[in-house]
């Protein structure tokens, strides 16, 4: 039987809100000037995102903040927010380069889809989340609580929605511990493999589904990976075993706890926010949103899926997705099937 996990990331909503100063850093005027100077230096050197290196985007002061952020992400509360960058002072191309340059100081980006998008765009492309290839970041529909397929996800807010788009975050560690308290039988189920759909991200000719548990413990470190829509989507394949009643009950309890006011907190993004989340210990969600009619006012976030140098070792049961389970490895993401990487998510809006 799996015991409760006693780590700093085991928090409930009221506690993490009291501790906001531990995971929020408002950029100073000096740090903003430093970022803008780094942008100017990258431009002076003629650097694009494809050939930009950390030294091309010097951040001597902010780099120390980012070092601290990585520690909070891995060994602390599991989230970190940089707030207050003046996005209105820059073009969208400059904002992409700024976010990419900051990311070079945080870790290594991995691709987010078979198209090879290594810098992704989170915006409504009118994709049905529940379709065979549906992905939440291309839809305006409500998202269930989930993790992204990487160690750390970063979001840079360029524009917010006309209405909705509330961000919700909870500790998967706290959810795990509550399930251990209430229903240890269901906790055991969540440590066993479920069948997941690749959602069209599999290699050509490969199986469209794979096995992976929701919860893992390895070398004393917990890790959760959960996207219920991908588990449900796998049920469309005739060779996949049907979810059992106890599996359904375990997933329902996980969702119920994550969605309860006791466990999650809600926050509305502000333009200029950069939010980082450790996917191994936190779940996140988002309410549905309504866009403005004008294209240049529609909700738009930039997303990076990142490997960080201080990441935890992972269980071999996560090898299908993470491939390299060693601590600090570059891992995760959905591999590019095109042989290239791109720096913008492409897709039809209509």
């Amino acid at each position: 039987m799996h015991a409760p996990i006693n780590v700093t990331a085991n928090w409930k909503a009221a506690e993490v809100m009291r501790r906001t100063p531990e995971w929020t850093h408002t950029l100073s005027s000096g740090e903003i000037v430093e970022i803008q100077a780094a942008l100017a230096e990258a431009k002076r050197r003629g650097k694009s995102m494809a050939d930009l290196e950390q030294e091309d985007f010097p951040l001597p002061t902010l780099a120390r903040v980012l070092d601290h952020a990585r520690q909070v992400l891995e060994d602390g509360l599991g989230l970190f927010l940089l707030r207050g960058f003046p996005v209105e002072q820059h073009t969208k191309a400059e904002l992409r380069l700024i976010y990419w340059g900051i990311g070079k100081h945080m870790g290594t980006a991995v691709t987010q889809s078979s198209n090879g998008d290594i810098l992704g765009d989170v915006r409504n492309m009118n994709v049905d989340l529940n379709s065979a290839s549906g992905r939440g970041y291309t839809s305006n529909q409500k998202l269930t609580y989930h993790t992204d397929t990487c160690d750390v996800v970063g979001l840079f807010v360029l524009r917010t929605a006309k209405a909705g788009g509330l961000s919700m975050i909870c500790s998967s560690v706290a959810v795990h511990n509550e399930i251990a308290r209430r229903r240890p039988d269901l906790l055991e189920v969540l440590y066993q493999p479920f069948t997941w759909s690749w959602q069209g991200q599999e290699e050509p000719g490969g199986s469209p589904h794979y096995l992976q548990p929701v919860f893992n413990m390895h070398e004393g470190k917990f890790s959760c990976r959960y996207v219920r829509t991908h588990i449900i989507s796998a049920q469309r394949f005739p060779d996949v075993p049907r979810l059992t009643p106890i599996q359904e009950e375990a997933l329902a309890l996980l969702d119920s706890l994550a969605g309860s006011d006791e466990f999650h907190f809600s926050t509305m993004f502000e333009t200029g926010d950069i939010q980082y989340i450790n996917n191994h210990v936190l779940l996140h969600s988002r309410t549905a949103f309504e866009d403005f009619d004008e294209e240049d006012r529609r909700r738009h976030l930039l997303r990076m899926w990142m490997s960080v140098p201080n990441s935890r070792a992972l269980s071999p049961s996560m090898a299908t997705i993470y491939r390299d389970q060693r601590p600090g490895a570059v891992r995760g993401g959905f591999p590019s099937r095109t042989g290239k990487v791109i720096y913008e998510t492409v897709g039809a809006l209509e």
Side-chain angles (χ1 to χ4, degrees), residues 88-192:
E88 69 282 354
Q89 296 180 15
H90 296 276
T91 67
K92 194 173 291 186
E94 288 175 335
L95 292 169
R96 286 181 181 278
L97 190 57
I98 285 169
Y99 186 42
W100 187 252
I102 292 172
K104 284 289 184 179
H105 289 267
M106 275 295 288
T108 302
V110 297
T111 50
Q112 302 173 35
S113 79
S114 58
N115 291 327
D117 45 337
I118 199 165
L119 179 61
D121 292 77
V122 181
R123 58 194 181 105
N124 181 26
M125 299 182 184
N126 294 321
V127 172
D128 182 3
L129 177 63
N130 299 305
S131 68
S133 58
R135 302 282 301 281
Y137 70 114
T138 58
S139 169
N140 69 340
Q141 295 166 278
K142 177 183 177 180
L143 303 183
T144 58
Y145 281 89
H146 66 282
T147 59
D148 287 346
T149 306
C150 57
D151 293 314
V152 169
V153 56
L155 294 170
F156 184 21
V157 183
L158 307 188
R159 290 192 299 267
T160 57
K162 178 181 180 181
L166 188 68
S167 176
M168 298 176 290
I169 303 171
C170 79
S171 164
S172 55
V173 182
V175 169
H176 170 282
N177 290 348
E178 185 65 12
I179 297 173
R181 186 183 72 82
R182 292 192 193 185
R183 292 291 304 274
D185 58 324
L186 297 185
L187 185 66
E188 293 303 314
V189 171
L190 293 166
Y191 274 92
Q192 302 304 313

Side-chain angles (χ1 to χ4, degrees), residues 214-228:
V214 173
F215 292 156
N216 277 288
M217 281 292 292
H218 185 68
E219 296 184 3
K221 288 275 194 172
F222 173 75
S223 184
C224 170
R225 181 166 181 264
Y226 183 54
V227 191
R228 188 170 183 175

Side-chain angles (χ1 to χ4, degrees), residues 15-322:
E15 178 190 0
V16 79
M17 292 305 292
R18 286 195 303 269
R19 299 173 68 175
T20 298
E22 295 180 34
W23 54 268
T24 302
H25 176 84
T26 299
L27 294 168
S28 69
S29 58
E31 289 164 344
I32 291 170
V33 168
E34 182 174 275
I35 293 169
Q36 294 170 329
L39 170 66
E41 178 63 16
K43 285 183 171 182
R44 187 189 69 79
R45 298 185 186 191
K47 296 295 181 177
S48 66
M49 286 180 283
D51 60 2
L52 184 77
E53 299 296 338
Q54 187 181 108
E55 58 268 23
D56 300 317
F57 202 89
L59 297 173
T61 303
L62 190 63
R64 293 194 291 272
V65 175
L66 299 177
D67 286 343
H68 173 65
R70 280 196 300 269
Q71 295 305 314
V72 174
L73 288 165
E74 178 60 22
D75 299 313
L77 294 167
L79 73 160
F80 201 85
L81 176 68
L82 297 174
R83 172 152 279 176
F85 187 80
V87 297
E88 69 282 354
Q89 296 180 15
H90 296 276
T91 67
K92 194 173 291 186
E94 288 175 335
L95 292 169
R96 286 181 181 278
L97 190 57
I98 285 169
Y99 186 42
W100 187 252
I102 292 172
K104 284 289 184 179
H105 289 267
M106 275 295 288
T108 302
V110 297
T111 50
Q112 302 173 35
S113 79
S114 58
N115 291 327
D117 45 337
I118 199 165
L119 179 61
D121 292 77
V122 181
R123 58 194 181 105
N124 181 26
M125 299 182 184
N126 294 321
V127 172
D128 182 3
L129 177 63
N130 299 305
S131 68
S133 58
R135 302 282 301 281
Y137 70 114
T138 58
S139 169
N140 69 340
Q141 295 166 278
K142 177 183 177 180
L143 303 183
T144 58
Y145 281 89
H146 66 282
T147 59
D148 287 346
T149 306
C150 57
D151 293 314
V152 169
V153 56
L155 294 170
F156 184 21
V157 183
L158 307 188
R159 290 192 299 267
T160 57
K162 178 181 180 181
L166 188 68
S167 176
M168 298 176 290
I169 303 171
C170 79
S171 164
S172 55
V173 182
V175 169
H176 170 282
N177 290 348
E178 185 65 12
I179 297 173
R181 186 183 72 82
R182 292 192 193 185
R183 292 291 304 274
D185 58 324
L186 297 185
L187 185 66
E188 293 303 314
V189 171
L190 293 166
Y191 274 92
Q192 302 304 313
F194 286 76
T195 305
W196 298 57
S197 167
W198 272 104
Q199 295 298 92
Q201 305 302 309
E202 68 271 12
E203 63 183 13
S207 172
H209 52 78
Y210 59 96
L211 292 173
Q212 190 170 81
V214 173
F215 292 156
N216 277 288
M217 281 292 292
H218 185 68
E219 296 184 3
K221 288 275 194 172
F222 173 75
S223 184
C224 170
R225 181 166 181 264
Y226 183 54
V227 191
R228 188 170 183 175
T229 52
H230 292 195
I231 294 172
I232 299 301
S233 182
Q235 294 291 293
R236 73 184 187 273
F237 300 112
D239 59 327
V240 169
R242 300 304 88 182
L243 287 168
T244 65
I246 196 169
Q247 285 179 315
E248 294 270 19
E249 190 177 5
L251 298 180
L253 180 56
L254 193 163
D255 286 341
S256 175
L257 292 171
S260 71
D261 291 340
E262 180 182 4
F263 283 87
H264 83 265
F265 76 96
S266 302
T267 181
M268 187 62 76
F269 280 136
E270 298 178 10
T271 56
D273 283 355
I274 302 178
Q275 175 188 269
Y276 295 104
I277 289 178
N278 182 341
N279 284 296
H280 300 303
V281 295
L282 302 190
L283 296 158
H284 61 281
S285 180
R286 184 205 68 213
T287 62
F289 66 87
E290 176 188 356
D291 263 328
F292 290 97
D293 293 332
E294 301 89 342
E295 171 62 28
D296 63 356
R297 297 181 67 192
R298 291 183 175 184
R299 185 180 191 267
H300 191 181
L301 283 62
L302 299 180
R303 183 173 78 170
M304 291 179 70
W305 280 3
M306 308 187 75
S307 297
V308 289
N310 63 329
S311 65
R312 64 195 58 202
L314 296 176
S315 165
S317 66
M318 301 180 79
T320 300
I321 289 296
Y322 280 94

